């Protein structure tokens, strides 16, 4: 049974509150938003939201929107259900760039709206006076054509080339550019939606589809959706396009444009197995279906864990299933992130670090320990490189609980929360063994399901429960836990150092992989003069190729690069990760023959992880600067705002320039 938090309990310490909110069971019952207490909210304010949820909290969003490709706007209403604390006189919403034409109560009476000052990062608070008894408000609004969450694609930017395409990207604080609601990860909301699109297109959302084929009406085709599990608003997502579907398993499937969907279905054939592996580790999948939508090439992320419908980049389609760890990652978010959510963006590592750990465990379960350990070795290299890039072991941005005061949460989205976060979980796993750790992780998900988590709350929970005798059923009562870990546990694990200090603690577990050592030895042999063709590379996996490229010496002659390229065809690789690694080397060495491929890569996809470093590399060398500007002039209209935002800074593109020409 779920125990509701009373105001008194809310005033207690987070540890006590965590114990009292124990769900004490593993049944996947979706709670009502009323019952989904947010342990953290009373203690940690979200500096990236204007909302004052302790006074008035949005619990449900009902959208009625029309998608207009001609004006690049969504127009309609958001009807918000509000839970009011006694005495609350208003509700404060987050908005950014929305044109709100009016706010009424459910019976149509107009309500007084007060707008705050606009902040470039946070947007604008919208405060609505609530007469006594009003618990529903109807906000009539239109989005801006350049709303940061939305990307409007012309037909030429899609795989099919005939129909336009629209999608939203809410994380971290972009949902407020298309939905006027309380846009904070600690404010969970259920939602319903009624979306009207041009007749030839299909709408999908991160929700159950109630009318899969849509309903024809005078204004177009209308699709209805419902998500009964409460989620933070960054997980409300919409995609509209010419989309086909292929089932993969009983509750899994893939959507993509018709010309891509079969390739995607074969690439993702093991998706159902991954869900089964994740459930074995973390408990039941609580969202019903798990489908994947392959996005057009400009999608700025590798993947986005929208509930029931992960969005992925098409650059994952290597045609040999070699990049599917990305699916394992987004799937893992169905627990870490979507079920147990970071309370604020400073706790982002609780979403991404736990997910990166679980991703590797899913890979191990489905593809074996050899592949998983290779991935961990590559991950550690990335982590050390990120720490160096951020300024070394003392750099403040290498702290897991990152300080985001006055900053965009995006600034904290480095590899640190991912790889240092996962590294902390591996230290915990090692500190008392896998069976104990797995029991703890499972109980953590159950006990905090549909709630948010703070860094302090997580550390307290670990201290109170990890490797104690009764972790497995999560039913420990204060004072009765029998510690089975050694008295030195706290001193060896160094939790506070991991969470609150920069750098990488020296007790991090170092992964090793014989396969990668062998691949590294081949790179060293090449550096020592062995011809590329004489290297032993037969049957190498993507991980081995990536390690080989990373282990090559920093300076290579044009002749050596040509030798590698002739032997292994790097410039023509279809695997986006291998091509990306090779192109970085090519820029570093000014390897001219790879430049057309570089240009093509930058013009054919907009994944920020690939695009940003390549422009950075180009801008780092004198010959590269005009190249970068020349390519970017054509590529910029193809990219999402998330990507142009990053690349504009690198190229010094002024704010006065239009974002989407
Ligand atoms: N939730 C993230 C994407 C994200 C992060 C969106 C921060 C907005 C702000 C997603 O789960 C993710 O981590 N994607 C990675 C791929 C993953 C395999 C590491 C990405 O997009 O590169
Ligand atoms: Zn993630």
């Amino acid at each position: 049974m779920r125990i509701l938090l009373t105001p008194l309990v809310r005033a207690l310490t987070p540890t006590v509150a965590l114990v009292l909110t124990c769900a004490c069971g593993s049944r996947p019952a979706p709670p009502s938003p009323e019952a989904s207490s947010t342990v953290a909210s009373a203690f940690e304010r979200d500096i990236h939201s204007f909302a004052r949820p302790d006074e008035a909290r949005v619990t449900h969003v009902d959208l009625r929107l029309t998608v207009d490709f001609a004006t690049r706007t969504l127009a309609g209403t958001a009807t918000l259900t509000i839970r009011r604390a006694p005495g609350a006189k208003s509700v404060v919403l987050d908005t950014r760039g929305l044109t709100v034409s009016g706010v009424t109560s459910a019976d149509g009476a107009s309500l007084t709206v007060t707008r705050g000052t606009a902040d470039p990062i946070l947007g604008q608070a919208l405060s609505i006076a609530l007469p006594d008894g009003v618990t529903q408000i109807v906000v009539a609004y239109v989005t801006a054509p350049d709303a940061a969450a939305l990307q409007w694609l012309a037909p030429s930017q899609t795989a099919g080339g005939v129909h336009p395409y629209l999608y939203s990207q809410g994380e971290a604080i972009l949902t407020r550019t298309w939905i006027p609601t309380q846009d904070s990860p600690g404010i969970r909301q259920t939602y319903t939606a009624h979306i009207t699109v041009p007749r030839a297109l299909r709408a999908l959302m991160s929700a159950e589809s109630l009318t899969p084929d849509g309903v024809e009406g005078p204004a177009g085709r209308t699709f209805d959706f419902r998500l009964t599990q409460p989620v933070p608003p960054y997980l409300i997502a919409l995609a509209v396009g010419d989309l086909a579907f292929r089932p993969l398993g009983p509750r899994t499937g893939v959507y993509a444009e018709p010309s891509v969907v079969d390739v995607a279905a074969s690439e993702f054939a093991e998706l159902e197995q991954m869900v089964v592996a994740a459930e074995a580790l973390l408990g039941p999948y609580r969202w019903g279906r798990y489908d994947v939508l392959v996005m057009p090439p400009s999608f700025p992320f590798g993947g986005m864990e929208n509930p029931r419908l992960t969005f992925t980049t098409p650059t994952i389609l290597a045609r040999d299933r070699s990049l599917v760890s990305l699916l394992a990652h987004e799937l893992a978010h169905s627990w870490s992130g979507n079920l147990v959510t970071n309370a604020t963006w400073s706790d982002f590592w609780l979403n991404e670090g736990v997910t990166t750990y679980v991703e590797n465990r899913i890979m191990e379960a489905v593809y074996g320990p050899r592949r998983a350990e290779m991935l961990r070795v590559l991950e550690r290299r990335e982590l050390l490189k990120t720490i160096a890039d951020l300024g070394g072991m003392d750099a403040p941005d290498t702290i897991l609980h990152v300080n985001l005061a006055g900053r965009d949460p995006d600034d904290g989205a480095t590899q640190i929360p991912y790889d240092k976060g996962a590294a902390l979980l591996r230290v915990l796993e090692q500190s008392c063994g896998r069976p104990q750790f797995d029991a703890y992780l499972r109980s953590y998900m159950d006990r905090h399901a549909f709630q948010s988590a703070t860094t302090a709350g997580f550390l307290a929970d670990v201290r109170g429960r990890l490797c104690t005798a009764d972790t497995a059923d999560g039913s420990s009562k204060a004072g009765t836990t029998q510690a089975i870990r050694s008295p030195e546990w706290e001193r060896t694990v160094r939790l506070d150092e991991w969470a609150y200090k920069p750098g990488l603690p020296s007790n991090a577990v170092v992964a090793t992989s014989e396969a990668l050592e062998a691949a590294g030895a081949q790179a060293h042999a090449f550096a020592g003069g062995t011809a590329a063709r004489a290297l032993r590379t037969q049957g190498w996996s993507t991980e081995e190729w990536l390690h080989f490229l990373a282990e090559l010496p920093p300076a290579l002659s044009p002749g050596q690069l040509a030798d590698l390229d002739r032997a292994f065809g790097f410039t023509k690789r279809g695997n986006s990760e291998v091509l990306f690694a090779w192109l970085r080397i090519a820029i570093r060495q000014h390897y001219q023959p790879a430049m057309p491929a570089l240009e093509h890569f930058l013009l054919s996809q907009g994944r920020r992880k690939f695009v940003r470093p390549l422009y950075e590399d180009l801008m780092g060398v004198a010959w590269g600067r005009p190249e970068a500007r020349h390519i970017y002039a054509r590529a910029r209209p193809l990219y999402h705002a998330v990507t142009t935002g990053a690349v504009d800074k690198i190229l010094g593109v002024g704010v006065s320039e239009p974002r989407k020409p």
Side-chain angles (χ1 to χ4, degrees), residues 169 171-172 301-305 326 329-330 333 348 352 359 410 413 418 607 609:
Q169 164 59 42
E171 196 179 14
F301 298 106
M304 179 62 213
E305 66 270 27
L326 196 149
H329 179 98
E330 302 313 332
H333 275 305
F348 184 57
E352 297 301 341
E359 164 195 341
D410 244 22
Y418 292 79
R607 187 172 170 189
K609 170 187 162 180

Side-chain angles (χ1 to χ4, degrees), residues 532-571:
R533 268 184 206 292
L535 298 175
R536 287 194 302 275
T537 63
Q538 231 199 336
W540 270 9
S541 63
T542 292
E543 290 80 20
E544 285 157 305
W545 284 114
L546 291 174
H547 190 70
F548 173 81
L549 289 171
E551 287 289 311
L552 287 172
L556 292 165
S557 69
Q560 281 177 304
L561 285 170
D563 185 26
L564 287 170
D565 212 5
R566 258 195 317 275
F568 307 125
F570 287 124
T571 299

Side-chain angles (χ1 to χ4, degrees), residues 65 231 278-279 418 442 455 470 484 646:
L65 295 172
V231 293
E279 287 189 305
Y418 292 79
R442 164 79 195 259
T455 300
D470 50 4
I484 57 163

